[in-house]
Amino acid sequence: MTRRRWIADSWGEGTASLTGEQASHLIRVLRAQPGTEYDIVAGDRVWHGVIVGISGDAVRFNLIAEVQADPALPITLLLSIFKFDRLEWAIEKGTELGIERIVPIIARRSEKHLAQSAQNRVDRWRRIARESAKQSRRSDIPVVDDVLPLKIAARQTSDVVRLLLAEQECSTTLRNAVEEAIRNAGAEMPAIRMAVGPEGGWTAEEEALFDAEGWKSVSLGPRILRAETAAITATAVVAALLE
Ligand code: SAM
């Protein structure tokens, strides 16, 4: 039987508690009672837990045994700001697919009014990632960074493989680039950072900037995908190759 999973708000040696919305849902909607068993995510570990106390708006668990859990995939998605409902969809599905981090970025062609209000949405995006992580039984929640200007996000240096999704690229496919990265990484799993453009695509200056920062342009095929479709498709391709 698959137990429903909750993400602990606080935990200690052998115990964990839920408070706030999760506890309220458990108490009022599911009418949980002491003795009911659930899976509890505490930090980066998952436990088989049993309710031992309900008081006010808090639910306390004893953690009985650790449950095997899969870690996130080393995939970071730089998502240009595009229509919020579609961006949220990309965050939710990316979380289901196992991504580790989302970096919202302001690109030249991100719509101005969306770019201006994006930072106010970050808490909501973090909640979406958290709910999606719970629903897809992840043991961790992807990090959603504060909104960054593209210039800064592109510049962050590290030894990750950096791939720019670009619909006009016709020689290198995402699949080929990731297969090469896997071969080069030997026994390790390569860390992959991918950037998806806004509805209007990247400007030539942005492409030049990514290029100067060592990003490789890759294609998802000859059809032009909407930004959110590109984000999810790219994540699914990389996840399938890494796993
Ligand atoms: N330049 C386009 C336009 O407005 O006509 C389309 C931009 S597309 C809707 C948004 C983003 O999705 C692109 O910047 C790119 O990152 C990604 N994308 C869409 N189709 C792609 C493809 N076939 N290969 C790689 N990336 C793609």
Side-chain angles (χ1 to χ4, degrees):
M1 191 195 64
T2 306
R3 283 183 295 271
R4 188 162 177 170
R5 184 168 291 194
W6 302 91
I7 298 175
D9 294 295
S10 58
W11 60 93
E13 192 60 38
T15 62
S17 295
L18 301 185
T19 50
E21 273 175 38
Q22 294 190 96
S24 164
H25 186 75
L26 201 46
I27 297 166
R28 284 180 249 297
V29 181
L30 301 179
R31 303 196 182 287
Q33 297 295 326
T36 314
E37 297 178 9
Y38 288 107
D39 278 354
I40 304 296
V41 179
D44 57 359
R45 298 165 80 183
V46 185
W47 298 83
H48 174 186
V50 58
I51 297 181
V52 290
I54 299 176
S55 53
D57 264 350
V59 182
R60 282 182 299 107
F61 289 85
N62 274 352
L63 304 178
I64 304 166
E66 193 164 354
V67 174
Q68 230 21 54
D70 292 327
L73 294 168
I75 304 174
T76 294
L77 210 48
L78 270 63
L79 278 181
S80 295
I81 298 299
F82 49 86
K83 288 206 177 59
F84 289 149
D85 54 341
R86 296 171 180 278
L87 190 80
E88 288 175 6
W89 190 77
I91 293 170
E92 183 184 284
K93 302 304 165 202
T95 302
E96 288 172 36
L97 287 164
I99 57 176
E100 190 173 61
R101 184 173 215 111
I102 292 157
V103 186
I105 57 172
I106 310 274
R108 178 77 182 76
R109 294 189 180 136
S110 293
E111 284 180 43
K112 249 203 184 78
H113 71 285
L114 297 180
Q116 277 162 356
S117 52
Q119 184 55 40
N120 297 335
R121 291 280 176 141
V122 172
D123 281 346
R124 176 177 163 81
W125 296 338
R126 289 182 179 136
R127 276 202 302 280
I128 288 169
R130 181 189 169 100
E131 281 309 305
S132 178
K134 196 165 72 174
Q135 187 271 331
S136 56
R137 304 178 59 76
R138 284 183 57 158
S139 59
D140 55 355
I141 306 168
V143 175
V144 179
D145 284 348
D146 284 340
V147 179
L148 283 181
L150 179 145
K151 257 188 193 168
I152 294 174
R155 245 180 237 160
Q156 287 170 345
T157 53
S158 63
D159 57 356
V160 299
V161 176
R162 279 161 284 172
L163 303 174
L164 180 72
L165 289 152
E167 65 279 10
Q168 65 281 11
E169 170 62 38
C170 31
S171 52
T172 308
T173 62
L174 173 65
R175 180 191 172 138
N176 286 347
V178 175
E179 282 174 344
E180 187 190 337
I182 291 171
R183 278 194 303 277
N184 293 342
E188 302 282 307
M189 225 192 241
I192 311 275
R193 202 167 166 87
M194 297 188 287
V196 179
E199 282 110 337
W202 305 114
T203 63
E205 296 77 50
E206 286 171 338
E207 282 170 0
L209 187 140
F210 275 114
D211 187 47
E213 297 291 342
W215 291 68
K216 182 186 275 186
S217 289
V218 292
S219 164
L220 284 170
R223 286 158 294 275
I224 294 185
L225 309 175
R226 292 183 105 132
E228 73 276 15
T229 315
I232 301 312
T233 307
T235 306
V237 167
V238 177
L241 292 169
L242 289 182
E243 281 180 323

